[in-house]
Amino acid sequence: MSESPARHLDLEGASNFRDLGGYPGRGGRAVRWRQIFRSNHLGHLTEADIEVLRGLGVRSAFDFRGTEERVAALCGVAGIAVHSLPVEPTVVAALRAKRDSGTTLSSADALEVMRDSYRNYVRQSTPSFRALFGHLLEDRAPLVIHCTAGKDRTGFACALILHALGVPDDLISEDYLLTNRFYRRDPTASNDLPEEVKQVLASVQASFLAAAFETINADYGNLENYFSEGLRIGASQRAELQSRYLES
């Protein structure tokens, strides 16, 4: 039996670059390796990293960062088409507003603000996730999906993709939580916030993703309705995604 490719690619300029391949999907067919990657931002890739991406054949990048985030670390790699699908960050601003109103910030505040941001992915940012699925149905792979840390906006997007491909919930959760193993926190990020708050912001927790899916159930009734009504991915598009991204 041949050995599976590495899931995590240890790049010098991106710590959270991972392959979504290998998980069992619909009908027991595995997600194809080396088609869909997820990462933190690609603005600090070294020449050696870029050669790795070229070797993987990456053709497209889907960037969920907001306007200022993109300007701060531009991603430009020759031969990779960058598609901006902005989901503006809200977490740090919400925490600073809380602090400025007189609250002494704690990890509990950070956890609640994080969960709230995931609720808003569903309530406010569904058009960006819908656009991603439109691109996934086109011939754009191998591709990489990323935001700034590659953990929240990217994590929700990749959970949706794996659901669409029929991957079991426990494995989707496992993939999501791998960020806690691989992501290297940017030491300059949000330096004016307490350390216990920054630790929460640099991690992922099951309750974050759960908040998004609870909101899907509350607003759409269930995940199937969200796919068809929110993301506009019906049964035929699901079958097309599975045909494209699952082993035959």
Side-chain angles (χ1 to χ4, degrees), residues 175-232:
D175 182 80
Y176 172 75
L177 293 170
L178 282 177
T179 281
N180 291 335
R181 223 171 111 192
F182 295 118
Y183 177 58
R184 292 191 298 268
R185 189 171 94 189
D186 177 355
T188 65
S190 316
N191 262 341
D192 59 331
L193 296 174
E195 181 58 29
E196 68 178 279
V197 167
K198 288 194 284 190
Q199 283 179 359
V200 171
L201 302 195
S203 70
V204 287
Q205 302 204 17
S207 71
F208 300 169
L209 197 56
F213 284 99
E214 284 159 11
T215 305
I216 285 171
N217 289 336
D219 292 4
Y220 290 86
N222 57 44
L223 184 56
E224 293 304 311
N225 290 343
Y226 182 64
F227 272 116
S228 59
E229 296 165 23
L231 301 175
R232 296 183 193 151

Side-chain angles (χ1 to χ4, degrees):
M1 187 172 165
S2 62
E3 200 174 311
S4 294
R7 181 167 304 288
H8 176 248
L9 286 85
D10 193 12
L11 303 179
E12 197 177 331
S15 62
N16 204 13
F17 194 98
R18 293 158 26 211
D19 193 325
L20 281 189
Y23 296 117
R26 185 174 174 82
R29 293 179 295 158
V31 179
R32 290 172 64 198
W33 287 100
R34 300 306 190 238
Q35 292 297 297
I36 303 176
F37 300 93
R38 54 174 296 174
S39 183
N40 54 323
H41 77 81
L42 307 176
H44 295 158
L45 295 180
T46 65
E47 281 303 316
D49 294 338
I50 290 168
E51 285 309 307
V52 171
L53 264 62
R54 290 213 171 102
L56 295 168
V58 173
R59 295 197 293 154
S60 313
F62 298 99
D63 184 353
F64 282 114
R65 293 178 300 168
T67 309
E68 287 181 19
E69 293 172 288
R70 287 199 308 279
V71 170
L74 287 171
C75 165
V77 179
I80 297 180
V82 177
H83 303 267
S84 176
L85 305 172
V87 176
E88 294 292 340
T90 57
V91 167
V92 172
L95 285 165
R96 285 175 177 153
K98 227 173 170 37
R99 177 198 62 196
D100 295 346
S101 72
T103 301
T104 302
L105 292 178
S106 69
S107 57
D109 296 303
L111 289 166
E112 188 45 44
V113 168
M114 286 298 298
R115 285 191 281 265
D116 211 38
S117 75
Y118 276 71
R119 294 179 188 112
N120 287 335
Y121 294 160
V122 179
R123 293 191 170 141
Q124 297 172 7
S125 302
T126 287
S128 287
F129 296 105
R130 181 190 307 142
L132 173 68
F133 275 87
H135 288 303
L136 288 171
L137 287 163
E138 298 162 356
D139 185 19
R140 299 189 186 274
L143 58 91
V144 58
I145 298 160
H146 74 91
C147 49
T148 291
K151 67 186 196 68
D152 300 310
R153 292 162 287 190
T154 297
F156 177 56
C158 290
L160 290 174
I161 291 166
L162 294 175
H163 272 296
L165 297 177
V167 174
D169 289 3
D170 59 330
L171 294 178
I172 292 172
S173 178
E174 195 178 288
D175 182 80
Y176 172 75
L177 293 170
L178 282 177
T179 281
N180 291 335
R181 223 171 111 192
F182 295 118
Y183 177 58
R184 292 191 298 268
R185 189 171 94 189
D186 177 355
T188 65
S190 316
N191 262 341
D192 59 331
L193 296 174
E195 181 58 29
E196 68 178 279
V197 167
K198 288 194 284 190
Q199 283 179 359
V200 171
L201 302 195
S203 70
V204 287
Q205 302 204 17
S207 71
F208 300 169
L209 197 56
F213 284 99
E214 284 159 11
T215 305
I216 285 171
N217 289 336
D219 292 4
Y220 290 86
N222 57 44
L223 184 56
E224 293 304 311
N225 290 343
Y226 182 64
F227 272 116
S228 59
E229 296 165 23
L231 301 175
R232 296 183 193 151
I233 297 291
S236 63
Q237 289 88 357
R238 286 276 285 275
E240 196 177 328
L241 285 170
Q242 290 162 7
S243 166
R244 189 176 288 278
Y245 296 109
L246 296 179
E247 299 285 0
S248 52

